[in-house]
Amino acid sequence: MQPQVFTHARMSSDEVTAHLTDSGFDIGPPSTVRRTVLDTFDGRLAAAGMRLELREGDHWELVLTDDASLPAHLAVTDVPSSAASLPAGPIRARLGPVLGVRALLPFVSVTARRLVAVRRDGAGKIHVRVVVQDRLAIEGGGRASPAWGVEVDELEGYDKDARQARAVLASLGLKARPIGLLDLIADRAHVDLRGYDGSPSVALSREEPAGDGFRRVLVRLADTIDANWDGTVHALDPEFLHDLRVAVRRTRSVLAQAKGVVPSAERARFREEFGWLGSVTGPARDLDVYVTEWDGYVASLGPETAGQLEPVLAHIAGRRREEHAALAATLTSDRYRRVQAAWRAWLDPEGEEPGQQAPSAARPLGSVVALRVAAAQEQVVMRGRSIGPDSPATDLHELRKDAKKLRYLLECFGGVLAGAPRKAFVQQLKALQDNLGEHQDTEVHSDRLREISRELHREPGVTAETLLAMGRLTEHFEQRRQAARDEFAQRFAAYDTKRTRRNLDDLIGSATGR
Amino acid sequence: MKVLATYSIKGGVGKTTSAVNLAFEAARIGARVLVWDLDPQGAATYFFRIKPRVKGGTQRLVGGKGELATHVRATDVAGLQLVPADFSLRHLDLHLDGTKRPTERLASLLAAVGDRYDVAILDCPPSISLASESVFGASDDLLVPVIPTTLSSRTLDQLGRFLGDQPAPPGILPYFSMVDRRKRLHRDLVESLPRQFPDFLTSVIPNASAIERMGPERAPLATFAPATPAAHAFRDLWAEVSARIWT
């Protein structure tokens, strides 16, 4: 829990300190502390009700707080870059499941002079701690307002003393703020401590012209691409590339659905450009998945085989670095800049020339979305029904693409679809997609492993044990692929039901206002 | 939450100094720690300068409507809280006996605060009684300080046999305490006993005047004598225990 903060618009912090001394508080020596809020780009700690703070003073420490328990403190010598960079222990155990592979990034920093005032009993036990922080300076030069703040650190079991301390501050005219000091500072620095919201959903109206609605969705996706660009170029964590890539694929998918809504020349041009962007981001992403999922892949093969596969992991990690370097070069290339500039220019409605509208751009967005959702679902059902036990794997891959198109439609145009049936429908679709994803991913992994095997054959020092272990891993992927293939018919049957159709009808009804 | 108990059938072996110093070390590495002082002498409570008082008495604490959370007190160590003891704990056996499932009672009281802490350390009085059984029922591991004497292996044997008869016994983690390297017997037993009990932790807590100073200082050792061998020994001991919890 963040300590309560008190401020005063006119009084100085020295006056408060003097008054605390008069009220029986012992004031400790002043120190200068830099406080930085750390979180992932998408604010996973904030979403989990946690706050991680780095305090840099005479010594460095991490302070992890949440809404339900006491703060945890850990001395550190470096700024942690991720959960994995922390020593094994309780803080890593708590942060690991929340952060996943995401990097810890500084959100806001403030430097302050810190004075700790305590009130003790006859045995010397501290009953209440009041922390005066003044000379506040926000990192980046922002002016701190308020210029100082007083935090009352409530100690469990000593509520009466905390109440008395608050009364002392109130008697001086200090006002309790509803949020903590760091939240106030973040507010002044225009930093949203909730992190970046990567959801494609935007506010839409089913009556608005389809052209406007599609454009707003595409602007949102362009913002997500831009927001994740820096983290992808610098390979801060694998989720930046993942989120950028998903936004690219969604953009391409929305453009594919924009026939008659977006002028055909622009539609064709940008579909091609985003197709290019999708293809150049693929190799690095595949290798990211390989490395981050590696422990799970080899876990069932036992520690001996896992050990024999270490050179393979090292080889993949090396390839991954190469692919990320190539991707960074692409994302900082002239072609990328030209595409982005042209795309932004087209997205800007001010720049649109009169008479350039596509034939369906003025139609109500809701009815256009309803038609597209119905058509995408029809495509999924028709293809799914045509797949039998002897159908080639490519049919399942095509079905996976169809399902993705439908899913992207539901996510990007959620603003005109009723929440409850959309959630129910997405759940059913997701179960099918999980099966199709497992089938394709394991096949891609097998193929990649065979390719790596050929590469490693040419490298000196790779043992026969390693090559045999690769064979076992390929076999493991093959077993998983076959299991997914065997399960497909059942999964599709569970999807292709009256319930799904009912949910779809409800969805379409919500888009058209029926 | 991992529940540990500093436990020994014998008294004066260093249970409380271990509980206090290990709790300090746990908090130092970022754990949220609760020390529950179950000893009516209240020495752990004393070391943290907290008033020895169980609000409403032990009967209310362990009774059907009792809640541990209302008894918790912050210590002056960040990340470390304590449930204090008082003399009413001398009747803990009696009050537990009055509850429905006495051997599960401490576990259920701890479970209610389990999401607030990473580690709970129970500082137990020396005995083997109903309260001890309830401690065994609540604990994942018993930290058993052993002074290297000829009777030590017999005491450990007794504890091992007793726990062997329990349905879900805690682990036993013995370690040497109050070791005087000037004594040949101590040196010999520190060498030989771990061969008999393979789970013996390797850190050895010395018999040191610095530990005795915890009385007048009323604080964990590392707060006033962090560079002493004894402080290092507790740090090493906690590192061993911690490695078993968080790999």
Side-chain angles (χ1 to χ4, degrees):
Chain A
M1 197 175 289
Q2 301 305 310
Q4 195 173 17
V5 65
F6 293 78
T7 59
H8 194 291
R10 291 177 306 280
M11 186 179 280
S12 75
S13 58
D14 289 342
E15 287 174 83
V16 178
T17 310
H19 199 84
L20 287 169
T21 309
D22 294 344
S23 304
F25 281 82
D26 296 330
I27 315 285
S31 61
T32 300
V33 178
R34 179 171 179 251
R35 301 174 68 182
T36 301
V37 176
L38 300 172
D39 205 336
T40 63
F41 181 68
D42 53 359
R44 291 184 180 189
L45 292 176
M50 298 165 110
R51 164 76 53 84
L52 184 65
E53 187 189 326
L54 175 68
R55 290 184 188 165
E56 298 163 79
D58 296 337
H59 65 281
W60 288 20
E61 67 171 354
L62 286 176
V63 182
L64 178 60
T65 48
D66 63 21
D67 295 334
S69 65
L70 65 163
H73 296 247
L74 173 68
V76 290
T77 50
D78 291 312
V79 183
S81 57
S82 63
S85 71
L86 289 164
I91 292 206
R92 190 168 91 179
R94 289 171 69 195
L95 292 180
V98 180
L99 301 183
V101 295
R102 294 237 70 164
L104 282 167
L105 304 172
F107 269 56
V108 67
S109 294
V110 62
T111 303
R113 185 179 73 153
R114 185 180 161 93
L115 287 158
V116 180
V118 297
R119 190 182 257 167
R120 299 173 192 270
D121 62 17
K125 167 80 183 75
I126 296 170
H127 281 220
V128 64
R129 194 180 286 120
V130 175
V131 184
V132 180
Q133 291 171 91
D134 59 11
R135 303 177 191 177
L136 296 172
I138 302 174
E139 195 98 342
R143 200 174 70 83
S145 173
W148 56 268
V150 179
E151 288 179 332
V152 177
D153 195 1
E154 295 204 23
L155 302 177
E156 187 111 10
Y158 299 95
D159 318 13
K160 193 175 140 197
D161 303 86
R163 272 200 305 277
Q164 285 174 351
R166 285 196 295 270
V168 168
L169 298 174
S171 72
L172 293 171
L174 272 71
K175 295 275 182 291
R177 298 298 192 103
I179 53 176
L181 185 64
L182 285 170
D183 299 271
L184 274 176
I185 296 292
D187 194 42
R188 293 291 182 273
H190 307 293
V191 171
D192 188 347
L193 292 177
R194 292 172 302 178
Y196 184 76
D197 174 10
S199 157
S201 186
V202 286
L204 297 168
S205 157
R206 60 176 182 250
E207 285 86 20
E208 72 177 308
D212 294 352
F214 269 68
R215 194 186 298 261
R216 236 177 9 267
V217 168
L218 291 167
V219 166
R220 172 75 178 146
L221 294 169
D223 290 345
T224 303
I225 291 169
D226 286 351
N228 285 285
W229 181 88
D230 189 64
T232 304
V233 167
H234 295 101
L236 294 180
D237 71 43
E239 291 301 295
F240 284 103
L241 171 55
H242 172 261
D243 291 353
L244 181 142
R245 192 167 150 75
V246 169
V248 165
R249 288 157 80 157
R250 280 176 174 152
T251 302
R252 201 157 168 249
S253 190
V254 170
L255 283 171
Q257 300 290 346
K259 192 173 180 183
V261 177
V262 168
S264 55
E266 278 80 2
R267 187 169 155 264
R269 177 190 167 191
F270 289 117
R271 278 184 76 186
E272 192 187 325
E273 296 290 18
F274 281 99
W276 164 72
L277 202 46
S279 68
V280 296
T281 51
R285 174 61 195 163
D286 285 349
L287 291 164
D288 277 354
V289 173
Y290 231 119
V291 171
T292 53
E293 299 292 324
W294 180 261
D295 288 346
Y297 295 158
V298 300
S300 64
L301 301 176
E304 194 183 347
T305 304
Q308 289 161 348
L309 286 166
E310 284 295 324
V312 181
L313 179 60
H315 180 83
I316 294 169
R319 288 281 310 277
R320 181 193 189 198
R321 281 192 293 276
E322 288 165 13
E323 289 294 350
H324 269 280
L327 176 60
T330 305
L331 294 180
T332 51
S333 66
D334 286 344
R335 178 174 178 183
Y336 181 82
R337 285 200 194 94
R338 273 199 308 274
V339 170
Q340 287 306 308
W343 181 230
R344 281 291 185 182
W346 185 81
L347 288 174
D348 180 5
E350 302 296 315
E352 191 175 45
E353 290 172 31
Q356 290 272 306
Q357 275 216 338
S360 299
R363 287 180 57 199
L365 176 66
S367 63
V368 172
V369 171
L371 278 173
R372 301 293 195 267
V373 169
Q377 163 68 0
E378 181 69 11
Q379 177 66 26
V380 169
V381 170
M382 294 305 288
R383 199 189 299 273
R385 285 179 185 169
S386 73
I387 294 175
D390 300 325
S391 299
T394 47
D395 285 4
L396 275 87
H397 301 338
E398 290 304 314
L399 179 60
R400 188 189 189 197
K401 287 185 199 165
D402 296 337
K404 260 191 182 163
K405 279 179 196 162
L406 176 56
R407 178 86 175 267
Y408 289 158
L409 261 176
L410 300 173
E411 288 169 344
C412 293
F413 293 95
V416 292
L417 302 167
R422 185 166 74 102
K423 201 174 164 189
F425 189 82
V426 166
Q427 251 176 5
Q428 290 164 296
L429 181 59
K430 188 176 176 301
L432 176 65
Q433 284 186 291
D434 287 347
N435 172 263
L436 295 167
E438 170 76 356
H439 179 261
Q440 186 167 5
D441 289 347
T442 46
E443 185 172 282
V444 168
H445 290 335
S446 292
D447 291 347
R448 174 54 62 91
L449 210 54
R450 286 190 194 97
E451 188 187 314
I452 292 167
S453 179
R454 283 193 292 275
E455 289 166 5
L456 282 178
H457 259 298
R458 294 193 289 271
E459 285 188 13
V462 176
T463 63
E465 284 77 14
T466 294
L467 296 172
L468 287 169
M470 287 179 79
R472 283 195 288 279
L473 184 56
T474 310
E475 178 63 26
H476 169 68
F477 284 137
E478 181 51 33
Q479 284 167 358
R480 278 176 53 180
R481 190 200 65 77
Q482 190 56 49
R485 181 70 180 84
D486 293 344
E487 207 191 334
F488 169 73
Q490 192 190 341
R491 287 280 186 110
F492 185 76
Y495 177 76
D496 187 18
T497 61
K498 278 183 186 165
R499 194 167 140 238
T500 309
R501 283 192 287 281
R502 245 195 336 268
N503 279 332
L504 182 78
D505 289 344
D506 289 348
L507 262 183
I508 290 170
S510 71
T512 54
R514 274 193 284 116
Chain B
M1 179 175 72
K2 187 87 171 171
V3 180
L4 306 169
T6 51
Y7 175 80
S8 174
I9 299 170
K10 287 163 67 65
V13 295
K15 289 188 295 295
T16 299
T17 51
S18 294
V20 168
N21 290 309
L22 293 178
F24 178 87
E25 292 301 331
R28 204 182 55 79
I29 64 149
R32 296 163 299 168
V33 186
L34 179 68
V35 173
W36 189 354
D37 190 351
L38 287 166
D39 188 337
Q41 294 179 76
T45 305
Y46 177 84
F47 285 139
F48 285 114
R49 301 172 188 244
I50 289 173
K51 194 173 165 185
R53 181 169 176 245
V54 179
K55 208 159 68 180
T58 298
Q59 186 171 16
R60 189 164 146 196
L61 169 59
V62 301
K65 290 180 182 170
E67 282 180 4
L68 213 48
T70 55
H71 296 265
V72 168
R73 296 283 176 275
T75 71
D76 292 355
V77 177
L80 204 169
Q81 298 186 333
L82 175 120
V83 176
D86 72 9
F87 214 47
S88 70
L89 276 163
R90 70 190 187 281
H91 299 308
L92 179 58
D93 278 328
L94 190 69
H95 297 315
L96 281 173
D97 203 23
T99 63
K100 276 185 186 166
R101 293 187 181 85
T103 56
E104 295 168 22
R105 186 61 191 141
L106 298 188
S108 69
L109 284 165
L110 283 162
V113 295
D115 56 352
R116 294 179 54 185
Y117 302 98
D118 300 300
V119 179
I121 298 180
L122 316 184
D123 184 31
C124 305
S127 67
I128 189 148
S129 61
L130 183 61
S132 313
E133 285 184 64
S134 199
V135 166
F136 302 154
S139 304
D140 296 296
D141 288 306
L142 301 182
L143 294 163
V144 184
V146 174
I147 299 178
T149 63
T150 42
L151 288 178
S152 300
S153 65
R154 186 168 168 266
T155 312
L156 270 178
D157 264 337
Q158 282 174 335
L159 180 62
R161 274 201 302 276
F162 180 83
L163 290 176
D165 294 336
Q166 303 296 308
I172 303 176
L173 300 177
Y175 59 95
F176 287 111
S177 175
M178 302 173 75
V179 173
D180 187 344
R181 294 260 181 205
R182 291 169 304 180
K183 294 180 181 172
R184 180 171 183 160
L185 180 66
H186 278 209
R187 291 199 305 274
D188 289 347
L189 284 169
V190 166
E191 198 60 33
S192 61
L193 261 185
R195 286 198 287 273
Q196 206 178 328
F197 298 94
D199 281 339
F200 239 97
L201 299 172
T202 57
S203 304
V204 173
I205 307 299
N207 187 16
S209 58
I211 299 175
E212 287 169 16
R213 276 174 54 208
M214 285 174 65
E217 295 284 349
R218 296 188 69 175
L221 183 57
T223 61
F224 62 88
T228 55
H232 282 294
F234 281 117
R235 184 166 295 186
D236 293 345
L237 180 62
W238 177 253
E240 279 191 78
V241 176
S242 171
R244 287 167 178 257
I245 304 173
W246 298 289
T247 48

